[in-house]
Amino acid sequence: MNTLSRKIVMAATGLFLCLFLLIHCLGNTQLFLEPEQAKLSFNAYSHFMTTNPIVKIISYVLYLSIIGHVVYALIITLKNRKAGGLYKRDNRGRASKWYSRNMGLLGTIVLVFLVTHFANFWYIYRFGEFTAVDANGNKDLFLLVQETFTNLWIVILYVVAMIALCYHLIHGINSGVRSLGLFHPKFVRWINVIGIIYSVVLCVGFALMPLYMYFTQN
Amino acid sequence: MKLHLKIWRQKDRKSEGKLVDYTLDNVNTHMSFLEMLDTLNEELILKNEEPVEFDHDCREGICGQCGVVINGNAHGPLKNTTTCQLHMREFKDGETILIEPFRAAGFPVKKDLKVDRSAFDRIISSGGYVSVNTGQAPEANTIPVSHEVAEAAFDSAACLGCGACVATCKNGSAALFTAAKITQLAILPQSKEERKQRALRMIWQMDQEGFGHCSNTEACEVECPQGISVLNIARMNYEYNRASFLKFKKK
């Protein structure tokens, strides 16, 4: 592997994760329905997403992408630390955006969130002692979502993580497509604009979910 | 004007360097930054001290030989200039100026402010050339090149090879330099013959020299004396993918 191919792995896994986020966000908008309807609809959707064989295969690709993205981020960061120079006075930050220089930090916040997120829902839904079912006989994930988001600290963590994710995505999308080799100025500009809109809409959408669940119950 | 200077002094590659304080009176504001260093060196020589070594050549901003980090920025506070084109009027009377060499794993310090940038030469010699048959010069219009392509190649070829991109990059990446050199040739018809191997070899050599990964912060373009576009790097990535794919297909 060389410096370019490592960045290609980062870009490919990252852009796949972006695609996943869109599907995840669209699916979750069911939480905003009328509570009775949201419960049935969201639980049926969750049942489908955990049992459908095609979705299952994609979910394994997803786990691999997350692991690959993290592992390569670590390798690249460590190598870059060694390659870059340290100055007694450093004013180099004036030439670039803070979030483009701190993708590792933003990514770590997202990773901490991700572990919590998996523990909150994924683990309990799949492996925990989880017996509640709704009127259709599906596991009542909606109830778990409601219960989880009565905890203010979890809501705060989720919102902070979405702010971090937003900046991570704004730089990530722009950087990723160029690591893959998109160099035409016109298309790069389009991707830049689309990337910002995508990141903001997606993260605002995600952040509204815990906030909505918290405030409708308190 | 009066200046307080903090200059990185290092005896040779192996020794530890340190910042040394100097005070310089009567600096003319019309002096270039290098002339200011010349003035300091004259004083040091008269005092029987060793002068500060730094790289320079044309002092017209076109050779890419000079380059130091001034107050934490490659080539100093002005954007898109070389050190020799920076004048003392950009500084305040009584200001403290911190001068350091370019720093990166690929650029070891030779002495004081002089760094070894021969890594760039090795990247160029690994593939940054066009093989042509010797003989009479061909008629200039034998191979047509459109105006747009010629201008685009010139834009990339404007790179001086000064290394400010590497010094500015937090990752010490030589992506902008290598990309500009690959791109200027990749788009011209005369150099299409070696397009694949050029990209692969130059990128391979770039990695051998210990430069870091490009994380697209775009700082290099901002500090580059020629404002070489970061899209050259995207172009290099494209050339790398193209060459890797075609190599794979041939097997």
Side-chain angles (χ1 to χ4, degrees):
Chain A
M1 293 291 264
N2 59 25
T3 54
L4 265 60
S5 49
R6 276 189 215 108
K7 290 297 291 186
I8 290 169
V9 174
M10 284 306 280
T13 52
L15 291 174
F16 175 75
L17 292 174
C18 282
L19 190 71
F20 157 75
L21 285 178
L22 181 69
I23 310 288
H24 188 28
C25 191
L26 288 175
N28 281 16
T29 51
Q30 294 170 87
L31 293 172
F32 296 124
L33 294 169
E34 286 288 308
E36 286 308 309
Q37 205 194 336
K39 195 186 199 69
L40 294 176
S41 159
F42 186 70
N43 289 344
Y45 166 73
S46 310
H47 180 75
F48 171 78
M49 292 305 268
T50 45
T51 49
N52 184 290
I54 296 169
V55 180
K56 255 189 174 160
I57 294 167
I58 297 173
S59 75
Y60 290 125
V61 178
L62 179 72
Y63 303 146
L64 276 179
S65 293
I66 295 171
I67 294 166
H69 201 72
V70 172
V71 168
Y72 274 87
L74 271 176
I75 296 172
I76 290 172
T77 307
L78 290 176
K79 283 185 182 287
N80 282 351
R81 283 244 174 102
K82 234 167 69 183
L86 287 172
Y87 293 93
K88 298 283 169 193
R89 187 185 294 173
D90 198 336
N91 191 31
R92 293 179 293 172
R94 71 166 187 181
S96 57
K97 303 265 189 346
W98 68 269
Y99 51 85
S100 74
R101 297 192 305 275
N102 292 292
M103 288 295 275
L105 177 73
L106 294 170
T108 308
I109 297 173
V110 175
L111 185 65
V112 168
F113 157 76
L114 208 59
V115 171
T116 320
H117 188 52
F118 266 69
N120 284 345
F121 302 114
W122 181 84
Y123 181 78
I124 295 177
Y125 189 80
R126 300 210 156 185
F127 309 107
E129 286 179 22
F130 189 68
T131 45
V133 286
D134 65 10
N136 290 343
N138 291 320
K139 275 187 170 181
D140 200 351
L141 185 62
F142 187 76
L143 183 70
L144 183 63
V145 174
Q146 282 182 316
E147 281 172 358
T148 306
F149 291 136
T150 50
N151 184 337
L152 183 62
W153 291 111
I154 291 186
V155 175
I156 290 171
L157 172 70
Y158 274 54
V159 173
V160 169
M162 285 312 110
I163 295 169
L165 179 67
C166 185
Y167 282 109
H168 195 81
L169 286 181
I170 289 174
H171 179 72
I173 292 170
N174 203 3
S175 175
V177 291
R178 281 195 273 153
S179 291
L180 292 179
L182 183 80
F183 63 84
H184 195 287
K186 186 166 76 182
F187 298 128
V188 167
R189 209 159 45 235
W190 286 2
I191 291 286
N192 198 359
V193 173
I194 293 168
I196 291 171
I197 296 171
Y198 181 89
S199 311
V200 172
V201 169
L202 195 85
C203 293
V204 167
F206 272 132
L208 282 177
M209 288 163 196
L211 289 171
Y212 174 82
M213 298 306 278
Y214 180 78
F215 286 110
T216 49
Q217 294 183 88
N218 282 284
Chain B
M1 65 196 285
K2 186 178 175 177
L3 289 176
H4 303 287
L5 303 170
K6 281 179 184 291
I7 302 179
W8 185 262
R9 301 302 307 260
Q10 185 172 333
K11 198 163 164 278
D12 52 38
R13 270 169 198 263
K14 287 181 186 118
S15 52
E16 290 259 320
K18 64 173 193 299
L19 286 171
V20 178
D21 291 316
Y22 298 97
T23 303
L24 205 54
D25 293 307
N26 301 322
V27 176
N28 189 322
T29 50
H30 300 306
M31 275 180 181
S32 77
F33 199 83
L34 298 185
E35 282 169 329
M36 183 274 292
L37 287 177
D38 290 339
T39 314
L40 172 73
N41 278 343
E42 277 168 19
E43 281 188 15
L44 290 179
I45 291 166
L46 287 176
K47 280 194 275 185
N48 227 355
E49 285 177 40
E50 213 177 321
V52 179
E53 293 207 12
F54 58 90
D55 279 323
H56 65 100
D57 190 18
C58 75
R59 300 203 175 195
E60 292 178 338
I62 53 171
C63 77
Q65 193 55 235
C66 64
V68 289
V69 170
I70 304 159
N71 288 341
N73 287 117
H75 293 306
L78 282 187
K79 288 180 185 170
N80 305 127
T81 46
T82 53
T83 304
C84 64
Q85 295 301 300
L86 174 69
H87 292 85
M88 298 318 293
R89 53 180 166 268
E90 305 299 335
F91 299 91
K92 286 188 216 77
D93 188 26
E95 191 175 338
T96 304
I97 304 175
L98 201 140
I99 311 168
E100 286 179 86
F102 283 176
R103 291 186 197 278
F107 283 174
V109 176
K110 278 160 108 176
K111 188 173 166 52
D112 298 338
L113 304 174
K114 265 164 69 171
V115 291
D116 182 358
R117 286 171 292 182
S118 58
F120 275 10
D121 300 336
R122 289 189 290 276
I123 292 173
I124 290 290
S125 55
S126 69
Y129 49 78
V130 180
S131 302
V132 288
N133 294 328
T134 51
Q136 270 192 319
E139 208 281 312
N141 291 324
T142 311
I143 305 168
V145 181
S146 74
H147 178 73
E148 288 77 10
V149 169
E151 285 298 328
F154 272 130
D155 285 346
S156 299
C159 168
L160 309 170
C162 67
C165 47
V166 176
T168 296
C169 179
K170 73 179 178 73
N171 309 327
S173 167
L176 189 65
F177 168 80
T178 313
K181 301 301 177 191
I182 289 176
T183 306
Q184 69 179 29
L185 295 176
I187 55 184
L188 288 173
Q190 291 92 330
S191 35
K192 289 255 196 275
E193 226 24 74
E194 290 147 317
R195 187 172 169 189
K196 275 181 288 178
Q197 68 184 49
R198 177 184 304 116
L200 294 175
R201 283 178 183 171
M202 289 177 77
I203 289 160
W204 185 82
Q205 188 63 39
M206 173 180 83
D207 286 346
Q208 292 308 107
E209 301 293 347
F211 294 112
H213 301 70
C214 169
S215 53
N216 293 312
T217 68
E218 304 183 7
C220 51
E221 176 181 324
V222 177
E223 301 290 359
C224 172
Q226 297 290 343
I228 302 287
S229 167
V230 289
L231 294 181
N232 281 287
I233 299 174
R235 176 83 197 206
M236 169 171 76
N237 293 329
Y238 168 78
E239 292 294 329
Y240 173 75
N241 291 342
R242 180 183 175 276
S244 307
F245 178 72
L246 292 177
K247 198 179 74 177
F248 183 71
K249 221 173 76 174
K250 222 162 110 186
K251 277 180 189 167

